[in-house]
Amino acid sequence: MIDIFHPERLSCNLDKRIKNCLHEQLIQRLLLVSSFNQLQVKCRNLYLNQGVQGTREFHCDGRSLKLKSFVHISDVNKLNDGPYCYVKGSHRHRLLWRNNSTFNKENQLDPFEFSQLQASKAISIFAKAGDMVISSQKGAHCGHPQHPVAKRAVLVNMYQR
């Protein structure tokens, strides 16, 4: 996996194209309406994956309000493509968070890993190039392992207060 931080800084032309693609003002308005918080773009990334099979297990990116928008540059049509996976409702499931936190502390695991998902069901999010996914990073999420020759490219914005 190649993670390019601030890809908009690579060139002026790329800066304009990336910002147009990410629809930042529209997404900020949607996030304001849905979260009642004014969120700002804190970081832009370009993820380039090829044959990534050793992915991180289900985790969250902390318990603060953090959302990401993912604009797919390539199609993700099947599990072998390595789709983004999310446990629906896990961003609001306090008991799930508490159970994981307690277990992880007792077993010296990272506090943000979701080691105790039990019967929770994850959804794999398939998308065509140009589709956008917006996700709360407080919830349990991960990337599905890819087939050795699969490729995936995603442009990401991270929003926080």
Side-chain angles (χ1 to χ4, degrees), residues 1-159:
M1 176 180 179
I2 298 172
D3 184 355
I4 301 170
F5 287 81
H6 300 288
E8 74 281 4
R9 294 179 184 169
L10 295 174
S11 76
C12 291
N13 185 36
L14 198 53
D15 178 53
K16 291 176 187 172
R17 294 183 77 188
I18 286 172
K19 288 179 180 171
N20 284 339
C21 179
L22 290 167
H23 300 284
E24 292 176 358
Q25 290 180 338
L26 173 62
I27 301 308
Q28 284 175 309
R29 288 195 305 268
L30 286 171
L31 296 177
L32 176 62
V33 168
S34 65
S35 72
F36 304 109
N37 287 280
Q38 188 70 43
L39 302 176
Q40 304 298 319
V41 175
K42 295 295 183 176
C43 189
R44 291 180 193 92
N45 297 73
L46 176 60
Y47 298 159
L48 303 173
N49 292 17
Q50 182 174 351
V52 176
Q53 295 179 314
T55 62
R56 187 174 173 192
E57 297 294 325
F58 281 100
H59 65 280
C60 68
D61 296 349
R63 297 301 296 162
S64 64
L65 182 61
K66 181 188 296 185
L67 293 112
K68 286 185 179 176
S69 67
F70 301 85
V71 176
H72 290 264
I73 297 170
S74 58
D75 292 345
V76 178
N77 297 317
K78 55 193 178 299
L79 287 177
N80 280 343
D81 292 332
Y84 179 73
C85 300
Y86 197 88
V87 177
K88 188 176 174 184
S90 60
H91 62 293
R92 288 182 267 185
H93 199 306
R94 292 177 196 231
L95 182 58
L96 177 61
W97 167 254
R98 214 168 327 168
N99 289 345
N100 279 284
S101 181
T102 301
F103 180 87
N104 292 356
K105 188 172 186 177
E106 290 171 355
N107 291 281
Q108 294 151 359
L109 299 172
D110 183 315
F112 299 119
E113 300 297 317
F114 275 86
S115 57
Q116 304 297 298
L117 286 173
Q118 297 159 351
S120 300
K121 295 211 182 333
I123 56 173
S124 299
I125 301 172
F126 302 108
K128 297 286 185 196
D131 289 349
M132 180 184 285
V133 173
I134 301 173
S135 171
S136 169
Q137 298 307 111
K138 287 180 9 177
H141 64 276
C142 70
H144 192 278
Q146 293 178 293
H147 185 274
V149 298
K151 295 179 182 179
R152 180 181 66 155
V154 183
L155 189 58
V156 181
N157 255 1
M158 192 253 295
Y159 293 89

